[in-house]
Amino acid sequence: MSSIPFRFDQVGSLLRPERLKAAREAFKQGTITREALTQVEDEEIIKVIQKQKEIGLQAVTDGEFRRRWWHLDFIAGLKGITVYDFETTAFGLTTEAQGTFVSGPLSFDPAHPFLDHFKFTKKHAGETLAKQTIPGPNMIYLDSFILSKQYHENPVYPDKKDFIQDLITTYQAAIQAFYDAGCRYLQLDDTSWGGLFDERFRGMIAKNGYDPDELIQEFGDITEAVLADKPADLSITFHFCKGNFQSHWLYNGSYDKIAERLLSITQFNGFFLEFDDERSGSFEPLKNIIDQRIVLGLITTKTPELEDKESIKARIKEATQYVPLEQLCLSPQCGFSSTHEGNKVTEEDQWAKLSLVFETAQEVWED
């Protein structure tokens, strides 16, 4: 079994430093150039990579410091996608947001900016493994196709099968491009599966003419096809949480509906799953795992209080009723800054929580 995901790991996004936020705002206002913003991003990413190394992480990210959103910046860089602005109340607060829809034939752009972003991270990670995160394919299928009003007003694919094939090909090309850029640890972040068990979203999906239960199978089939030809020495993990926007969540419900199909995807080396509160449900759905690792997201990124180490150990022990200890790992349940605004925690809270993951894992696992 691959050692990825690691016994102590992280999802990927980190709180944006104030200097970076100020630079981003100045660029938005037109008072600094794109080059000046990039310079600040570069400097802050170098610093945050060093900080991750210092607290013991075996895989480092760029903190997603160049992104506004955890998912849209990647999706916007694909061919055949249009981005638009709107206002949302989906997370329980009114805020400006962006959406995407499929507006032309979908394909991967070989000049996608994330490739150069990854090369920068890898260079400054040095001997440490650089981890790349991108949204999973079903984010596009659900948000930019199935639930998209704009797409349904102007469908560019008369046959859904053609869209699905292009989606698979796009992601296969993306995976190969990151591999060619030197990536050996890739993570697909895919919250769209939450729409398949949340009653409100299931209703919206059905209203648009799709069967959410059939989509569970289809989401799995698409994901397996995307991973079918992945290079043998590329580790790919899956991360799922129920939404995380400025400490607010989006989906309700348990993993029961999706666990059997999702956890049967053996091309994944492991699954990062959220278990930080009672909304996560029990560990029972984990009994569907085959031989992949499960990364228990027991440390929350939504609130600043530092978890009790002994309580975390007790929860890990509880999970061993369904999954052997050697298949388990530990991480926060999500990133700390899925969007550039960040969660309602401080950088001090963030590093304390990541240090807790490291310390706890060292005491629980021998390797």
Side-chain angles (χ1 to χ4, degrees):
M1 186 195 292
S2 159
S3 60
I4 295 174
F6 296 108
R7 293 296 185 204
F8 47 94
D9 215 317
Q10 62 169 329
V11 170
S13 70
L14 297 164
L15 293 170
R16 314 301 196 257
E18 287 308 317
R19 179 175 175 240
L20 179 55
K21 286 185 178 180
R24 192 174 291 284
E25 184 58 30
F27 174 69
K28 188 178 169 186
Q29 301 299 333
T31 57
I32 65 168
T33 62
R34 162 63 69 185
E35 290 72 26
L37 172 59
T38 301
Q39 179 67 29
V40 174
E41 288 172 346
D42 289 353
E43 290 167 6
E44 293 299 332
I45 287 168
I46 290 169
K47 281 193 257 183
V48 88
I49 287 172
Q50 187 55 36
K51 182 71 179 172
Q52 291 169 79
K53 288 183 183 182
E54 284 168 11
I55 62 165
L57 288 169
Q58 292 170 281
V60 297
T61 73
D62 65 0
E64 302 180 5
F65 279 11
R66 302 189 201 273
R67 307 185 204 182
R68 179 179 175 188
W69 310 96
W70 63 274
H71 59 321
L72 287 186
D73 300 69
F74 175 81
I75 295 168
L78 302 174
K79 293 179 176 177
I81 291 285
T82 295
V83 181
Y84 64 96
D85 297 306
F86 70 103
E87 200 173 72
T88 183
T89 56
F91 288 85
L93 69 167
T94 303
T95 183
E96 57 179 51
Q98 288 183 303
T100 58
F101 62 94
V102 177
S103 54
L106 194 66
S107 67
F108 183 71
D109 184 348
H112 198 296
F114 273 39
L115 295 171
D116 281 339
H117 297 172
F118 173 75
K119 288 174 188 172
F120 183 90
T121 306
K122 186 175 189 299
K123 176 186 170 186
H124 292 282
E127 296 299 306
T128 308
L129 187 65
K131 173 177 176 175
Q132 176 67 38
T133 63
I134 61 172
N138 294 303
M139 294 298 302
I140 297 173
Y141 188 22
L142 183 65
D143 293 344
S144 315
F145 191 92
I146 293 171
L147 293 181
S148 171
K149 180 170 171 281
Q150 290 87 342
Y151 178 77
H152 290 297
E153 284 170 357
N154 185 27
V156 292
Y157 284 97
D159 190 334
K160 182 186 79 168
K161 286 196 185 106
D162 294 333
F163 163 74
I164 287 174
Q165 188 51 57
D166 280 356
L167 179 63
I168 290 166
T169 306
T170 297
Y171 266 80
Q172 288 176 330
I175 289 169
Q176 188 62 48
F178 280 111
Y179 182 82
D180 293 342
C183 180
R184 294 299 179 268
Y185 185 179
L186 183 69
Q187 178 176 296
L188 301 186
D189 298 318
D190 204 335
T191 61
S192 63
W193 289 74
L196 306 182
F197 60 65
D198 179 284
E199 287 308 323
R200 185 168 70 91
F201 276 84
R202 284 172 66 85
M204 287 159 60
I205 288 166
K207 196 174 164 188
N208 279 17
Y210 292 81
D211 180 337
D213 290 327
E214 283 177 16
L215 286 178
I216 293 172
Q217 183 62 38
E218 202 163 40
F219 275 26
D221 294 348
I222 288 168
T223 307
E224 285 176 339
V226 160
L227 301 173
D229 299 320
K230 81 174 181 72
D233 61 335
L234 172 63
S235 296
I236 303 186
T237 57
F238 175 95
H239 165 246
F240 173 84
C241 77
K242 297 175 187 177
N244 193 1
F245 178 72
Q246 296 183 52
S247 295
H248 294 259
W249 47 266
L250 182 61
Y251 296 120
N252 260 313
S254 84
Y255 296 125
D256 298 342
K257 267 192 200 311
I258 63 168
E260 189 176 351
R261 182 67 189 98
L262 177 60
L263 298 182
S264 71
I265 302 175
T266 53
Q267 295 105 318
F268 282 128
N269 294 73
F271 298 84
F272 287 75
L273 298 176
E274 176 179 271
F275 285 105
D276 64 326
D277 60 22
E278 66 286 343
R279 291 180 53 254
S280 308
S282 80
F283 293 124
E284 190 174 357
L286 300 183
K287 68 186 180 193
N288 294 285
I289 198 71
I290 303 170
D291 61 355
Q292 318 93 314
R293 287 187 167 189
I294 291 282
V295 188
L296 299 173
L298 296 172
I299 289 42
T300 192
T301 64
K302 299 202 234 17
T303 56
E305 294 76 27
L306 190 63
E307 286 80 358
D308 172 68
K309 192 190 287 182
E310 294 310 312
S311 301
I312 296 297
K313 287 181 183 176
R315 294 274 282 147
I316 294 169
K317 189 175 181 190
E318 195 185 322
T320 61
Q321 295 173 59
Y322 306 101
V323 184
L325 184 63
E326 61 267 21
Q327 272 177 258
L328 294 174
C329 306
L330 182 65
S331 81
Q333 45 75 229
C334 193
F336 288 87
S337 195
S338 301
T339 68
H340 69 109
E341 293 94 344
N343 282 353
K344 294 179 178 3
V345 294
T346 66
E347 286 189 57
E348 193 182 348
D349 300 328
Q350 167 183 273
W351 298 120
K353 283 173 180 275
L354 285 169
S355 295
L356 176 65
V357 169
F358 173 70
E359 291 162 16
T360 308
Q362 283 200 310
E363 293 174 21
V364 172
W365 291 279
E366 289 177 6
D367 60 346

PDB file of all heavy atoms in Angstrom, residues 23-41:
ATOM      1  N   ALA A  23      -2.795  42.877  -1.068  1.00  0.00           N
ATOM      2  CA  ALA A  23      -2.305  42.935  -2.444  1.00  0.00           C
ATOM      3  C   ALA A  23      -3.406  42.549  -3.429  1.00  0.00           C
ATOM      4  O   ALA A  23      -3.571  43.166  -4.486  1.00  0.00           O
ATOM      5  CB  ALA A  23      -1.101  42.012  -2.613  1.00  0.00           C
ATOM      6  N   ARG A  24      -4.181  41.532  -3.055  1.00  0.00           N
ATOM      7  CA  ARG A  24      -5.281  41.096  -3.924  1.00  0.00           C
ATOM      8  C   ARG A  24      -6.323  42.214  -4.082  1.00  0.00           C
ATOM      9  O   ARG A  24      -6.830  42.475  -5.173  1.00  0.00           O
ATOM     10  CB  ARG A  24      -5.940  39.845  -3.334  1.00  0.00           C
ATOM     11  CG  ARG A  24      -6.886  39.137  -4.279  1.00  0.00           C
ATOM     12  CD  ARG A  24      -7.376  37.840  -3.681  1.00  0.00           C
ATOM     13  NE  ARG A  24      -6.346  36.842  -3.574  1.00  0.00           N
ATOM     14  CZ  ARG A  24      -5.878  36.131  -4.594  1.00  0.00           C
ATOM     15  NH1 ARG A  24      -6.366  36.327  -5.791  1.00  0.00           N
ATOM     16  NH2 ARG A  24      -4.930  35.231  -4.413  1.00  0.00           N
ATOM     17  N   GLU A  25      -6.622  42.892  -2.965  1.00  0.00           N
ATOM     18  CA  GLU A  25      -7.580  44.010  -3.003  1.00  0.00           C
ATOM     19  C   GLU A  25      -7.018  45.160  -3.833  1.00  0.00           C
ATOM     20  O   GLU A  25      -7.736  45.783  -4.622  1.00  0.00           O
ATOM     21  CB  GLU A  25      -7.889  44.471  -1.570  1.00  0.00           C
ATOM     22  CG  GLU A  25      -8.949  45.562  -1.468  1.00  0.00           C
ATOM     23  CD  GLU A  25     -10.299  45.195  -2.084  1.00  0.00           C
ATOM     24  OE1 GLU A  25     -10.675  43.998  -2.094  1.00  0.00           O
ATOM     25  OE2 GLU A  25     -10.979  46.119  -2.586  1.00  0.00           O
ATOM     26  N   ALA A  26      -5.720  45.454  -3.675  1.00  0.00           N
ATOM     27  CA  ALA A  26      -5.087  46.540  -4.435  1.00  0.00           C
ATOM     28  C   ALA A  26      -5.123  46.234  -5.940  1.00  0.00           C
ATOM     29  O   ALA A  26      -5.372  47.131  -6.760  1.00  0.00           O
ATOM     30  CB  ALA A  26      -3.647  46.740  -3.962  1.00  0.00           C
ATOM     31  N   PHE A  27      -4.909  44.966  -6.288  1.00  0.00           N
ATOM     32  CA  PHE A  27      -4.972  44.582  -7.701  1.00  0.00           C
ATOM     33  C   PHE A  27      -6.401  44.744  -8.232  1.00  0.00           C
ATOM     34  O   PHE A  27      -6.616  45.246  -9.340  1.00  0.00           O
ATOM     35  CB  PHE A  27      -4.505  43.131  -7.876  1.00  0.00           C
ATOM     36  CG  PHE A  27      -4.674  42.625  -9.279  1.00  0.00           C
ATOM     37  CD1 PHE A  27      -3.896  43.123 -10.315  1.00  0.00           C
ATOM     38  CD2 PHE A  27      -5.635  41.660  -9.574  1.00  0.00           C
ATOM     39  CE1 PHE A  27      -4.064  42.662 -11.626  1.00  0.00           C
ATOM     40  CE2 PHE A  27      -5.811  41.199 -10.868  1.00  0.00           C
ATOM     41  CZ  PHE A  27      -5.022  41.696 -11.899  1.00  0.00           C
ATOM     42  N   LYS A  28      -7.376  44.345  -7.413  1.00  0.00           N
ATOM     43  CA  LYS A  28      -8.794  44.478  -7.797  1.00  0.00           C
ATOM     44  C   LYS A  28      -9.149  45.951  -8.042  1.00  0.00           C
ATOM     45  O   LYS A  28      -9.900  46.285  -8.951  1.00  0.00           O
ATOM     46  CB  LYS A  28      -9.662  43.891  -6.680  1.00  0.00           C
ATOM     47  CG  LYS A  28     -11.143  43.774  -6.999  1.00  0.00           C
ATOM     48  CD  LYS A  28     -11.867  43.126  -5.830  1.00  0.00           C
ATOM     49  CE  LYS A  28     -13.372  43.231  -5.966  1.00  0.00           C
ATOM     50  NZ  LYS A  28     -14.059  42.721  -4.765  1.00  0.00           N
ATOM     51  N   GLN A  29      -8.577  46.829  -7.186  1.00  0.00           N
ATOM     52  CA  GLN A  29      -8.845  48.275  -7.309  1.00  0.00           C
ATOM     53  C   GLN A  29      -8.019  48.924  -8.423  1.00  0.00           C
ATOM     54  O   GLN A  29      -8.212  50.099  -8.725  1.00  0.00           O
ATOM     55  CB  GLN A  29      -8.548  48.985  -5.978  1.00  0.00           C
ATOM     56  CG  GLN A  29      -9.345  48.502  -4.774  1.00  0.00           C
ATOM     57  CD  GLN A  29     -10.845  48.675  -4.927  1.00  0.00           C
ATOM     58  OE1 GLN A  29     -11.307  49.550  -5.653  1.00  0.00           O
ATOM     59  NE2 GLN A  29     -11.619  47.817  -4.272  1.00  0.00           N
ATOM     60  N   GLY A  30      -7.074  48.165  -8.969  1.00  0.00           N
ATOM     61  CA  GLY A  30      -6.264  48.703 -10.063  1.00  0.00           C
ATOM     62  C   GLY A  30      -5.069  49.530  -9.622  1.00  0.00           C
ATOM     63  O   GLY A  30      -4.478  50.253 -10.431  1.00  0.00           O
ATOM     64  N   THR A  31      -4.700  49.428  -8.331  1.00  0.00           N
ATOM     65  CA  THR A  31      -3.583  50.254  -7.836  1.00  0.00           C
ATOM     66  C   THR A  31      -2.241  49.521  -7.884  1.00  0.00           C
ATOM     67  O   THR A  31      -1.200  50.138  -7.668  1.00  0.00           O
ATOM     68  CB  THR A  31      -3.846  50.747  -6.396  1.00  0.00           C
ATOM     69  OG1 THR A  31      -4.073  49.610  -5.553  1.00  0.00           O
ATOM     70  CG2 THR A  31      -5.081  51.645  -6.348  1.00  0.00           C
ATOM     71  N   ILE A  32      -2.245  48.197  -8.143  1.00  0.00           N
ATOM     72  CA  ILE A  32      -0.988  47.492  -8.409  1.00  0.00           C
ATOM     73  C   ILE A  32      -1.175  46.607  -9.642  1.00  0.00           C
ATOM     74  O   ILE A  32      -2.312  46.291 -10.015  1.00  0.00           O
ATOM     75  CB  ILE A  32      -0.497  46.626  -7.215  1.00  0.00           C
ATOM     76  CG1 ILE A  32      -1.470  45.473  -6.911  1.00  0.00           C
ATOM     77  CG2 ILE A  32      -0.233  47.462  -5.976  1.00  0.00           C
ATOM     78  CD1 ILE A  32      -0.906  44.420  -5.959  1.00  0.00           C
ATOM     79  N   THR A  33      -0.076  46.225 -10.270  1.00  0.00           N
ATOM     80  CA  THR A  33      -0.139  45.407 -11.477  1.00  0.00           C
ATOM     81  C   THR A  33      -0.289  43.926 -11.128  1.00  0.00           C
ATOM     82  O   THR A  33      -0.070  43.518  -9.986  1.00  0.00           O
ATOM     83  CB  THR A  33       1.151  45.570 -12.303  1.00  0.00           C
ATOM     84  OG1 THR A  33       2.253  45.092 -11.501  1.00  0.00           O
ATOM     85  CG2 THR A  33       1.383  47.022 -12.697  1.00  0.00           C
ATOM     86  N   ARG A  34      -0.637  43.134 -12.143  1.00  0.00           N
ATOM     87  CA  ARG A  34      -0.693  41.677 -11.978  1.00  0.00           C
ATOM     88  C   ARG A  34       0.678  41.151 -11.549  1.00  0.00           C
ATOM     89  O   ARG A  34       0.775  40.269 -10.702  1.00  0.00           O
ATOM     90  CB  ARG A  34      -1.146  41.042 -13.310  1.00  0.00           C
ATOM     91  CG  ARG A  34      -0.864  39.557 -13.455  1.00  0.00           C
ATOM     92  CD  ARG A  34      -1.585  38.694 -12.450  1.00  0.00           C
ATOM     93  NE  ARG A  34      -3.020  38.641 -12.664  1.00  0.00           N
ATOM     94  CZ  ARG A  34      -3.863  38.013 -11.837  1.00  0.00           C
ATOM     95  NH1 ARG A  34      -3.401  37.393 -10.753  1.00  0.00           N
ATOM     96  NH2 ARG A  34      -5.148  37.998 -12.081  1.00  0.00           N
ATOM     97  N   GLU A  35       1.752  41.711 -12.121  1.00  0.00           N
ATOM     98  CA  GLU A  35       3.120  41.276 -11.780  1.00  0.00           C
ATOM     99  C   GLU A  35       3.415  41.531 -10.306  1.00  0.00           C
ATOM    100  O   GLU A  35       4.043  40.707  -9.628  1.00  0.00           O
ATOM    101  CB  GLU A  35       4.152  42.004 -12.653  1.00  0.00           C
ATOM    102  CG  GLU A  35       4.155  41.606 -14.121  1.00  0.00           C
ATOM    103  CD  GLU A  35       2.942  42.107 -14.900  1.00  0.00           C
ATOM    104  OE1 GLU A  35       2.352  43.141 -14.498  1.00  0.00           O
ATOM    105  OE2 GLU A  35       2.565  41.454 -15.892  1.00  0.00           O
ATOM    106  N   ALA A  36       2.963  42.687  -9.801  1.00  0.00           N
ATOM    107  CA  ALA A  36       3.204  43.024  -8.389  1.00  0.00           C
ATOM    108  C   ALA A  36       2.444  42.069  -7.476  1.00  0.00           C
ATOM    109  O   ALA A  36       2.969  41.638  -6.435  1.00  0.00           O
ATOM    110  CB  ALA A  36       2.787  44.468  -8.112  1.00  0.00           C
ATOM    111  N   LEU A  37       1.213  41.712  -7.863  1.00  0.00           N
ATOM    112  CA  LEU A  37       0.430  40.748  -7.080  1.00  0.00           C
ATOM    113  C   LEU A  37       1.121  39.380  -7.092  1.00  0.00           C
ATOM    114  O   LEU A  37       1.252  38.730  -6.048  1.00  0.00           O
ATOM    115  CB  LEU A  37      -0.994  40.623  -7.639  1.00  0.00           C
ATOM    116  CG  LEU A  37      -1.862  39.508  -7.030  1.00  0.00           C
ATOM    117  CD1 LEU A  37      -2.024  39.684  -5.520  1.00  0.00           C
ATOM    118  CD2 LEU A  37      -3.229  39.445  -7.705  1.00  0.00           C
ATOM    119  N   THR A  38       1.581  38.960  -8.266  1.00  0.00           N
ATOM    120  CA  THR A  38       2.265  37.664  -8.383  1.00  0.00           C
ATOM    121  C   THR A  38       3.509  37.624  -7.501  1.00  0.00           C
ATOM    122  O   THR A  38       3.804  36.601  -6.872  1.00  0.00           O
ATOM    123  CB  THR A  38       2.631  37.378  -9.854  1.00  0.00           C
ATOM    124  OG1 THR A  38       1.431  37.363 -10.632  1.00  0.00           O
ATOM    125  CG2 THR A  38       3.343  36.043 -10.007  1.00  0.00           C
ATOM    126  N   GLN A  39       4.223  38.741  -7.441  1.00  0.00           N
ATOM    127  CA  GLN A  39       5.425  38.818  -6.603  1.00  0.00           C
ATOM    128  C   GLN A  39       5.085  38.567  -5.130  1.00  0.00           C
ATOM    129  O   GLN A  39       5.763  37.804  -4.435  1.00  0.00           O
ATOM    130  CB  GLN A  39       6.082  40.200  -6.762  1.00  0.00           C
ATOM    131  CG  GLN A  39       7.341  40.420  -5.931  1.00  0.00           C
ATOM    132  CD  GLN A  39       8.509  39.549  -6.367  1.00  0.00           C
ATOM    133  OE1 GLN A  39       8.619  39.182  -7.530  1.00  0.00           O
ATOM    134  NE2 GLN A  39       9.368  39.180  -5.422  1.00  0.00           N
ATOM    135  N   VAL A  40       3.989  39.180  -4.663  1.00  0.00           N
ATOM    136  CA  VAL A  40       3.545  38.979  -3.274  1.00  0.00           C
ATOM    137  C   VAL A  40       3.122  37.518  -3.076  1.00  0.00           C
ATOM    138  O   VAL A  40       3.477  36.890  -2.075  1.00  0.00           O
ATOM    139  CB  VAL A  40       2.386  39.948  -2.908  1.00  0.00           C
ATOM    140  CG1 VAL A  40       1.828  39.629  -1.514  1.00  0.00           C
ATOM    141  CG2 VAL A  40       2.864  41.394  -2.963  1.00  0.00           C
ATOM    142  N   GLU A  41       2.362  36.982  -4.044  1.00  0.00           N
ATOM    143  CA  GLU A  41       1.944  35.576  -3.955  1.00  0.00           C
ATOM    144  C   GLU A  41       3.172  34.666  -3.840  1.00  0.00           C
ATOM    145  O   GLU A  41       3.219  33.779  -2.975  1.00  0.00           O
ATOM    146  CB  GLU A  41       1.128  35.186  -5.202  1.00  0.00           C
ATOM    147  CG  GLU A  41      -0.257  35.795  -5.252  1.00  0.00           C
ATOM    148  CD  GLU A  41      -0.968  35.560  -6.583  1.00  0.00           C
ATOM    149  OE1 GLU A  41      -0.309  35.162  -7.564  1.00  0.00           O
ATOM    150  OE2 GLU A  41      -2.194  35.785  -6.642  1.00  0.00           O
TER     151      GLU A  41
END
